Amino acid sequence: MFKLLKIIARAGEATEKYPFAPLPVSPGFRGKPEYTAQQCIACAACVLACPPNALAIETDAEACTRTWSLNLGRCIFCGRCEEVCPTGAIELSAEFELAVANKADLMQKATFTLTRCRQCDTPFAPTKEIEYALALTAQQGAADSDLESLRALFETCLDCKRTHALAVLDARRYVVKGAA
Amino acid sequence: MSVAEHTRTGRNYVAGLRAQFPSAVLEESWQTADQVTVTVTADSLPEVVAWLYYDQGGWLSVLFGNDERTLNGHFAVYYVLSMEREVKSWVVVRAPVDAVTQEYPSVTPRVPAAVWGEREVRDMFGLKPVGLPDERRLVLPDDWPDGLHPLRKDTMGYNQRPSPTTDTETYTFFNDGGESRVVPLGPLHITSDEPGHFRLFVDGEDIVDADYRMFYVHRGMEKLAETRMDYDQVTFLADRVCGICGFTHSVAYATSVENALGLEVPARAQVIRSIFLEVERLHSHLLNLGLACHFTGFDTGFMQFFRVREKAMTMAELLTGARKTYGMNLIGGVRRDILKDERTRTLKLIAELRAEFTPLVDMLLETPNLKQRTQGVGRLDPKVARDFSPVGPLIRASGFARDIRADHKYAGYGALPFDVQSENSCDVLGRVLIRVREFYDSLALIEYALDHMPEGPILVEGFAYKPHAFALGFAEAPRGEDIHWSMIGDNQKLFRWRCRAPTYANWPPLRYMLRGNTVSDAPLIVASIDPCYSCTDRVTLVDVKKQKSTTVPYKEIERYSRERRNSPLK
Amino acid sequence: MNKPIETPLTFAPRDAYGMPTPLSESEHAAQLKKTLLKDIQRSAYVYRVDCGGCNGCEIEIFAAITPVFDAERFGIKVVASPRHADILLFTGAVTRMMRMPALRAYHAAPDPKIVVSYGACGCSGGIFHDLYCVWGGTDQVVPVDVFIPGCPPTPAATIYGFAVALGLLDQKLKARHDEEAADERAILAHPGIPHELRVRIEREARRMAGYRHGGSIADDFLTLVAQAASARDFESVVGQHLAQKDDPRLSEIFTRLQAVCIAGPQDMQP
């Protein structure tokens, strides 16, 4: 009994002060995913990787938009979204104070515009995704005139690329050997 | 994949099988250097399994079914035997089951350890084990329609939810406690309160038998792995099989796929996996020791063990980003490295844990109350143990030094030194002592691993999946071995995933451990197998002499275990 | 096949197809709840209902009431019967077998009561949200007042959740809906580095140290590359950086990344 009291005394005040003081968490703690819509290109890599389907993406052809959404109620805080995102648009933070009284407050959404296909006018790819691809190509040193031709290529949907002849462009010039 | 002839470990068992049962063996295929799958005729199944089990020193790790009609026109049943005598290897006995008759001879009359597996195969596939007396469902809920078998490929989508067929529990509980036979069976409408998951058949205060109903937690994970998920996502699903030893499941699963592909996981990743596995063992053993205190009425000890356990949780958080559900595996390696900062902090916590654990456990072991409550209590007879293939500290306390980390090396354990802890007392005290020693071993293992980290990458990429390749994966969870089996599909997802948690192997012998003890000992005995404790929230006590039954909350039995006053039977 | 339904629909509601529907809260109960919150702030009795969780949540709730987090400081006490409960805490995705026990516990707890849905499984079914043997979250069977996300929620997140349930703290999260601004663009990382080199470095760093460490190591490396005026300059700044970090593993990784730079595109792994 005496030994037990000694152990308890030595342990001191073991209780964390939280919630009366902030609780420090380890670096790399997997808390709430922080999403920066400005960095998102709506490529859906995160949606495909997410094990509980907390992330979703939905196209509204009529409105010509694509909406990304995150349901924090389903999130398992695994960080696969952060792992696969090509632009760094989503990163897990240290935030853990997530309780809500209203379930709708667990939803986060972001709506992006879609570009219409130059040939068939169907909305098919997020504008930002096309711009990102062009920016990457520009960074590799493509000339402006080539970029304009590439834009024509990028702004054509897959079906049309297959069925319509696209003159002049040799896309192989823009792919560096070994790069993805 | 092809395994070079000279590397095959366990050839002797196959040769022996062929000699002993010349007309039984149809085919032999090797998955890894120490895993062989032998296809035998369905008729020879019980004899073959019994021979490997009792005559050749095999233990039944898991058995499962597979709907292979799209592959070869049959169903199949697989019995996985862990061979543990001089030659340690895996022998999987596979038998095709006719798609029309859907029957095969039950192995349970020869090997009792097969009972749960065969009931589950019947639930999931509708395959009938002929000769198995127990006709009850094991896994499917009472409100599930008859004739609907979820794991068949052609019956239902993974997300199809039939309307409930009933609102009441219809499970029947068995008692075979000798002459005290006359007991009310069947749906318990006689009690005013809801029927319990646990039945203790008693004579006064003495337990004569027990039966229990598990699988309240059946969610449908194996079907999910074949449908909505890809290979990497299943590692996160495996983490959530059990919230206490989830990472162990994740390693066992990833290993099963890596074995099927013949993938060499980088050495550094293997050691990191071992470190995280041992961190998981630390928190789990502390939890169990805390509960042991709780049930012997030593609540301050319980609180102190939980206080110390927080350091193990912090260790997990700094290494993986979360206290629980580590999410650290992908097929081919791990997702986080251990750099200087993590290493330093971890070593500091290990030192603190060792310093704080030692006086606590010394105190626990010195309390006279503990010895009195645990010595000779909850005895698992070695013969019963041999019949049922339990795992973990439970089997090790009955004199069998079985530990997958030593018997079939996986992850980084081949390079990490440790001893298998065992006792001969067969009782609750033996299991407690084993967990204490394993705790110290885990601390030492983590330190050793951190001091001997291999260089190189932590992930291998760029490999291809081979349709219909299959293999076992396994890992020693704090409670005992997890064993998984995966068959790769041909559409970026698994064809079949079988996941067997250690408690599955440990529940069947529990009734034998309870017999001859008193009601107030029951919670301690149950806790000594370290089960998912929340599965037992109500207990029905059936007095076989007075033919009376009472249903009480499990908490009430726990209180009785601690206070030893005011029996719930009165 | 389907037996007639035995329990009254007021107890366990179903739709026209026999599928379970959530119980709704009566007006009366909602009214009583407002008064409950005033009384409850000194002590709250919590009854835990495990609806088929993996036990991760159970253990973190346990940890929340033990000495380090000590929810009992706020008068939160776990009770053994729903009849004594002010707060019902549901964990798990509600497996089929636990639907009736969950409803029984709900009905047994006297009004007014607060229902808390705990963990990803409780809030939505979590990773199991659409499986055949679960109903997909607490609110598929009973009305819920507070949702605590997490998988599992940490003890601190649990305490925060209770504070929200008791009306002591306001929730922080609010629904968000961003609309793309005109000319909004995703910014390229490391614009001064050739794209194919950046990809090779990032991939090697991830293979060596995982997505998190690997990401920041690649960033550091590429920043140093971009800043260096010459190869010798680069060697020097890298040397300084590694000396300051004093981590053999980091030095090993940097050596690999330098080799990747020198090797050029044709040696890249798929």
Side-chain angles (χ1 to χ4, degrees):
Chain A
M1 188 57 201
F2 181 61
K3 241 200 210 168
L4 176 60
L5 290 173
K6 265 214 308 212
I7 290 175
I8 296 175
R10 217 180 290 136
E13 182 52 67
T15 306
E16 289 282 353
K17 307 255 181 320
Y18 183 84
F20 303 111
L23 181 84
V25 292
S26 307
F29 175 78
R30 287 183 275 120
K32 171 171 172 266
E34 279 303 329
Y35 174 72
T36 309
Q38 165 269 318
Q39 267 305 96
C40 180
I41 57 173
C43 69
C46 59
V47 172
L48 288 169
C50 180
N53 306 142
L55 289 160
I57 205 151
E58 220 177 299
T59 300
D60 184 345
E62 250 184 68
C64 206
T65 59
R66 191 164 284 172
T67 298
W68 170 99
S69 65
L70 166 61
N71 178 355
L72 282 168
R74 231 186 242 175
C75 182
I76 60 171
F77 305 89
C78 63
R80 282 289 284 161
C81 50
E82 176 181 336
E83 187 168 2
V84 303
C85 177
T87 58
I90 190 162
E91 271 177 36
L92 266 57
S93 68
E95 178 65 77
F96 59 83
E97 294 176 333
L98 304 175
V100 296
N102 181 7
K103 198 176 186 186
D105 286 323
L106 293 173
M107 289 299 293
Q108 253 196 277
K109 294 187 198 232
T111 300
F112 301 93
T113 60
L114 292 174
T115 295
R116 290 180 178 280
C117 171
R118 286 201 181 192
Q119 304 284 345
C120 68
D121 211 39
T122 316
F124 77 103
T127 310
K128 285 177 75 181
E129 190 172 25
I130 293 174
E131 295 301 328
Y132 188 75
L134 284 166
L136 278 175
T137 316
Q139 193 214 358
Q140 290 170 67
D144 284 341
S145 55
D146 291 335
L147 284 172
E148 277 318 301
S149 312
L150 263 180
R151 179 180 288 279
L153 185 74
F154 288 1
E155 291 181 357
T156 306
C157 76
L158 280 174
D159 286 336
C160 290
K161 275 195 270 236
R162 284 186 203 113
T163 56
H164 296 268
L166 283 170
V168 308
L169 197 60
D170 181 6
R172 287 173 294 169
R173 287 164 61 198
Y174 301 100
V175 178
V176 176
K177 186 175 173 193
Chain B
M1 63 164 273
S2 57
V3 179
E5 179 85 38
H6 66 276
T7 62
R8 293 175 181 181
T9 310
R11 314 194 282 288
N12 54 309
Y13 299 117
V14 184
L17 246 181
R18 288 184 185 275
Q20 191 79 8
F21 306 98
S23 51
V25 177
L26 300 171
E27 207 190 308
E28 165 191 344
S29 84
W30 288 80
Q31 288 72 58
T32 68
D34 65 349
Q35 289 182 33
V36 62
T37 300
V38 183
T39 303
V40 302
T41 59
D43 289 334
S44 65
L45 184 63
E47 304 174 276
V48 166
V49 174
W51 181 78
L52 283 166
Y53 192 95
Y54 287 110
D55 294 344
Q56 300 297 307
W59 296 76
L60 184 65
S61 290
V62 65
L63 80 95
F64 56 92
N66 198 13
D67 183 354
E68 297 178 1
R69 289 174 296 169
T70 52
L71 302 181
N72 52 44
H74 315 292
F75 291 95
V77 286
Y78 291 75
Y79 287 68
V80 175
L81 287 142
S82 170
M83 310 307 293
E84 294 176 16
R85 281 199 189 143
E86 299 76 32
V87 177
K88 295 199 201 285
S89 74
W90 297 95
V91 176
V92 179
V93 180
R94 174 180 173 276
V97 176
D98 187 74
V100 173
T101 63
Q102 297 172 6
E103 281 182 358
Y104 65 99
S106 167
V107 172
T108 306
R110 302 291 300 273
V111 179
V115 60
W116 273 23
E118 291 183 346
R119 285 168 68 190
E120 182 162 353
V121 168
R122 184 174 49 208
D123 277 358
M124 292 285 126
F125 293 93
L127 303 178
K128 183 167 177 224
V130 178
L132 178 68
D134 196 335
E135 299 273 309
R136 301 171 296 175
R137 284 182 176 171
L138 184 76
V139 161
L140 289 175
D142 293 329
D143 69 1
W144 189 263
D146 289 325
L148 185 61
H149 303 289
L151 283 177
R152 287 194 183 192
K153 298 282 183 188
D154 60 354
T155 46
M156 53 177 274
Y158 78 96
N159 53 356
Q160 182 175 325
R161 293 169 175 166
S163 63
T165 54
T166 173
D167 284 342
T168 49
E169 294 198 20
T170 54
Y171 192 77
T172 46
F173 288 80
F174 287 167
N175 160 50
D176 52 23
E179 16 168 80
S180 41
R181 286 227 133 251
V182 185
V183 286
L185 296 175
L188 281 181
H189 300 302
I190 60 173
T191 55
S192 56
D193 222 320
E194 72 210 58
H197 304 177
F198 221 106
R199 290 281 185 286
L200 285 179
F201 296 96
V202 301
D203 179 2
E205 292 283 326
D206 295 324
I207 301 173
V208 297
D209 202 5
D211 196 9
Y212 18 80
R213 176 50 175 323
M214 298 286 106
F215 301 100
Y216 286 83
V217 191
H218 179 70
R219 289 151 289 184
M221 294 170 80
E222 291 180 3
K223 184 105 182 153
L224 179 63
E226 296 173 16
T227 50
R228 167 161 58 85
M229 292 201 158
D230 65 27
Y231 304 101
D232 282 327
Q233 286 174 328
V234 177
T235 63
F236 299 94
L237 182 64
D239 258 337
R240 290 156 175 84
V241 170
C242 169
I244 295 168
C245 55
F247 185 71
T248 319
H249 279 292
S250 176
V251 170
Y253 160 69
T255 310
S256 69
V257 175
E258 289 153 5
N259 283 341
L261 299 177
L263 202 60
E264 210 178 299
V265 175
R268 189 177 177 91
Q270 297 285 36
V271 172
I272 290 176
R273 280 183 180 172
S274 286
I275 291 173
F276 292 167
L277 285 167
E278 294 306 315
V279 171
E280 196 167 63
R281 197 178 320 276
L282 292 176
H283 100 85
S284 175
H285 279 359
L286 283 168
L287 174 67
N288 187 262
L289 290 168
L291 285 176
C293 288
H294 180 59
F295 294 129
T296 48
F298 184 28
D299 261 334
T300 322
F302 167 62
M303 288 296 180
Q304 289 303 313
F305 271 106
F306 260 74
R307 178 183 60 79
V308 172
R309 180 176 169 270
E310 282 303 307
K311 290 186 200 282
M313 305 308 278
T314 304
M315 198 187 300
E317 189 185 274
L318 79 92
L319 286 169
T320 72
R323 294 160 50 96
K324 214 41 271 1
T325 57
Y326 304 162
M328 285 289 106
N329 281 321
L330 290 174
I331 305 299
V334 294
R335 296 173 71 215
R336 283 200 189 188
D337 195 4
I338 299 179
L339 298 184
K340 181 174 162 202
D341 194 41
E342 287 88 21
R343 184 173 172 276
T344 316
R345 288 179 202 235
T346 303
L347 287 170
K348 180 161 177 290
L349 282 167
I350 300 243
E352 288 174 18
L353 272 168
R354 191 179 276 125
E356 299 220 42
F357 181 76
T358 305
L360 265 183
V361 90
D362 284 344
M363 203 177 46
L364 170 67
L365 295 178
E366 278 163 23
T367 41
N369 189 42
L370 177 83
K371 285 241 163 62
Q372 184 228 332
R373 294 298 309 275
T374 60
Q375 210 159 29
V377 171
R379 204 168 170 280
L380 175 63
D381 186 89
K383 165 125 196 350
V384 172
R386 187 66 186 93
D387 284 336
F388 280 95
S389 290
V391 294
L394 176 64
I395 186 77
R396 294 198 276 279
S398 290
F400 296 96
R402 298 187 67 208
D403 187 322
I404 286 275
R405 292 176 291 173
D407 294 329
H408 302 284
K409 297 192 189 354
Y410 63 96
Y413 291 102
L416 302 174
F418 79 104
D419 295 313
V420 178
Q421 302 292 348
S422 66
E423 286 280 321
N424 286 315
S425 56
C426 307
D427 57 12
V428 172
L429 181 62
R431 294 162 215 147
V432 168
L433 292 175
I434 287 174
R435 289 194 181 99
V436 167
R437 297 203 296 265
E438 286 183 357
F439 183 84
Y440 284 116
D441 282 348
S442 291
L443 292 175
L445 272 164
I446 297 172
E447 280 174 332
Y448 185 93
L450 285 173
D451 283 335
H452 295 83
M453 292 284 284
E455 293 189 337
I458 60 172
L459 186 66
V460 65
E461 296 182 295
F463 50 88
Y465 285 89
K466 296 170 197 158
H468 312 130
F470 58 87
L472 293 165
F474 36 85
E476 183 79 16
R479 300 160 166 162
E481 94 212 15
D482 283 347
I483 180 142
H484 291 221
W485 186 89
S486 294
M487 179 181 269
I488 313 284
D490 58 6
N491 53 356
Q492 301 174 351
K493 48 189 77 158
L494 289 158
F495 185 90
R496 176 79 170 100
W497 175 48
R498 173 78 182 116
C499 161
R500 198 279 275 141
T503 307
Y504 192 96
N506 288 347
W507 273 113
L510 181 61
R511 70 192 316 171
Y512 300 96
M513 292 158 56
L514 286 163
R515 288 178 188 172
N517 291 277
T518 64
V519 173
S520 66
D521 288 329
L524 198 53
I525 298 171
V526 172
S528 78
I529 76 170
D530 198 5
C532 288
Y533 79 98
S534 75
C535 290
T536 49
D537 51 346
R538 301 193 85 69
V539 178
T540 300
L541 298 154
V542 182
D543 192 317
V544 296
K545 280 248 173 70
K546 298 178 193 162
Q547 295 192 36
K548 221 174 52 116
S549 87
T550 335
T551 300
V552 298
Y554 194 73
K555 291 256 170 302
E556 179 54 23
I557 305 285
E558 289 177 359
R559 180 208 58 80
Y560 184 45
S561 171
R562 293 196 310 274
E563 294 172 15
R564 316 277 237 138
R565 295 179 284 112
N566 301 329
S567 163
L569 287 160
K570 302 222 171 12
Chain C
M1 198 76 55
N2 275 3
K3 296 200 214 129
I5 295 159
E6 307 111 2
T7 41
L9 291 172
T10 46
F11 192 97
R14 300 223 199 172
D15 64 17
Y17 301 101
M19 292 297 278
T21 53
L23 200 56
S24 49
E25 192 175 50
S26 66
E27 272 298 314
H28 177 63
Q31 271 300 103
L32 283 175
K33 229 196 293 207
K34 293 200 178 74
T35 54
L36 173 65
L37 283 175
K38 292 207 200 79
D39 299 329
I40 209 178
Q41 288 184 14
R42 271 177 303 118
S43 74
Y45 294 120
V46 178
Y47 179 73
R48 207 178 38 77
V49 190
D50 178 6
C51 297
C54 70
N55 269 296
C57 285
E58 269 56 51
I59 302 298
E60 291 294 70
I61 292 168
F62 236 26
I65 59 179
T66 54
V68 178
F69 292 97
D70 200 8
E72 291 197 11
R73 286 178 292 161
F74 315 108
I76 290 172
K77 250 195 111 44
V78 173
V79 293
S81 163
R83 295 179 214 283
H84 307 135
D86 299 309
I87 299 181
L88 289 172
L89 184 62
F90 286 85
T91 59
V94 189
T95 55
R96 289 177 75 98
M97 275 198 243
M98 293 312 293
R99 179 178 63 95
M100 291 308 296
L103 283 166
R104 281 194 283 263
Y106 181 83
H107 287 294
D111 282 315
K113 59 204 173 223
I114 293 175
V115 174
V116 178
S117 184
Y118 190 85
C121 286
C123 291
S124 64
I127 200 170
F128 309 109
H129 65 97
D130 53 359
L131 296 198
Y132 65 81
C133 220
V134 308
W135 295 109
T138 316
D139 63 359
Q140 300 303 300
V141 283
V142 296
V144 176
D145 297 301
V146 173
F147 298 85
I148 305 181
C151 192
T154 61
T158 308
I159 289 179
Y160 176 80
F162 276 119
V164 170
L166 295 175
L168 297 169
L169 285 176
D170 282 326
Q171 64 179 68
K172 283 162 81 167
L173 279 181
K174 284 280 175 286
R176 227 177 96 185
H177 193 154
D178 290 293
E179 298 274 349
E180 182 180 325
D183 293 328
E184 185 179 293
R185 298 282 178 263
I187 297 167
L188 265 59
H190 302 288
I193 306 280
H195 175 63
E196 64 79 24
L197 175 65
R198 171 164 78 88
V199 170
R200 282 190 293 123
I201 293 294
E202 284 176 350
R203 286 186 177 177
E204 184 66 13
R206 174 167 169 262
R207 242 199 303 271
M208 290 298 287
Y211 71 101
R212 194 185 146 252
H213 285 310
S216 61
I217 290 172
D219 263 345
D220 289 345
F221 185 88
L222 290 169
T223 304
L224 293 174
V225 167
Q227 285 169 356
S230 67
R232 186 182 293 171
D233 186 28
F234 179 65
E235 292 283 336
S236 159
V237 294
V238 164
Q240 278 169 15
H241 179 81
L242 293 176
Q244 190 246 321
K245 294 283 189 177
D246 187 30
D247 180 351
R249 173 64 178 171
L250 183 64
S251 303
E252 180 202 342
I253 296 171
F254 261 64
T255 308
R256 289 281 283 238
L257 295 180
Q258 285 174 275
V260 163
C261 279
I262 295 166
Q266 57 269 27
D267 287 323
M268 202 177 85
Q269 291 274 293

